[in-house]
Amino acid sequence: MELAPLQKTFSFTGFEQIKAGIVKWPMSVLRLTSNSKEDLINLADKILQEWRQYSDPRVQVLAESNGTPHHTITPIARKRDGQFELDLVLRDNQTSPEHPDGIYHPHKDVQHIKKENIGLIEVMGLAILPPRLKAEVEQVASYLVGEGDTVASYHQEWADQLKSQHPDLADKEKALKS
């Protein structure tokens, strides 16, 4: 995330001395840059207070439901080229009957790969997958090219789906080996 460019720049009224922009990133991220740490903190707090109240039901963004607040910010601070830089990741912790772990949490169909919440490391693009996956993915790969006939039960549906979407993988593997 730190190296991601800005898609758009703008300024906030009353904070014109702060360079602001939307980071080109798969999450909603604002980047604030200034010589003044205090100004950054004040603007970040203002953004947090506004985000905590912001709702747009047309796109399923709700500040709260049934008294439960949903919005927060994950701040990521750094000093770059002598200036203070603050990335503010807008977070929405809503749940739904379909996604009881969270609408923006890994959904059931991928929890066999990663069930844990999306935390700071993942937000920054430095995701760490569980070590168990190394051997399990190798087993799935063997299954897909016809060199194995079993995979962990929690990967079976996924492996079968991949195999049906790519039925020629075994042929391609044989061609690569010859």
Side-chain angles (χ1 to χ4, degrees):
M1 175 192 300
E2 169 179 359
L3 303 176
L6 297 179
Q7 286 182 311
K8 178 182 177 180
T9 60
F10 50 88
S11 64
F12 286 89
T13 303
F15 295 92
E16 290 80 8
Q17 71 284 13
I18 296 177
K19 179 182 171 188
I22 298 171
V23 179
K24 184 176 182 179
W25 197 247
M27 298 182 83
S28 299
V29 183
L30 298 175
R31 179 167 293 151
L32 309 176
T33 306
S34 177
N35 291 320
S36 169
K37 185 179 359 178
E38 185 176 321
D39 288 344
L40 277 184
I41 291 168
N42 290 335
L43 178 54
D45 184 57
K46 180 180 174 89
I47 292 168
L48 173 61
Q49 299 314 316
E50 290 297 321
W51 177 236
R52 284 181 172 162
Q53 300 175 48
Y54 180 78
S55 290
D56 186 346
R58 295 171 300 155
V59 291
Q60 199 175 349
V61 173
L62 302 174
E64 62 88 25
S65 37
N66 300 321
T68 300
H70 300 307
H71 293 167
T72 191
I73 287 179
T74 298
I76 301 163
R78 65 183 72 81
K79 197 164 185 184
R80 186 194 315 245
D81 299 327
Q83 292 197 304
F84 298 100
E85 190 171 86
L86 190 57
D87 286 348
L88 302 176
V89 184
L90 305 181
R91 305 293 294 261
D92 186 326
N93 298 315
Q94 287 185 72
T95 61
S96 70
E98 182 184 2
H99 303 294
D101 295 326
I103 294 170
Y104 305 107
H105 174 87
H107 295 170
K108 293 283 185 203
D109 64 331
V110 295
Q111 286 186 3
H112 62 99
I113 296 171
K114 184 169 185 343
K115 185 175 183 167
E116 301 80 10
N117 277 332
I118 297 169
L120 179 62
I121 290 171
E122 290 84 4
V123 165
M124 294 173 67
L126 306 170
I128 298 172
L129 293 172
R132 66 172 168 77
L133 283 178
K134 185 176 190 311
E136 291 173 7
V137 169
E138 288 170 358
Q139 187 182 44
V140 170
S142 293
Y143 176 76
L144 293 176
V145 298
E147 294 177 358
D149 57 357
T150 62
V151 296
S153 61
Y154 44 88
H155 290 309
Q156 190 67 56
E157 183 179 343
W158 174 56
D160 289 341
Q161 179 186 12
L162 289 172
K163 200 170 201 173
S164 71
Q165 289 173 339
H166 306 282
D168 59 343
L169 284 176
D171 296 336
K172 288 181 180 178
E173 178 72 6
K174 286 177 191 170
L176 287 173
K177 286 185 175 182
S178 55

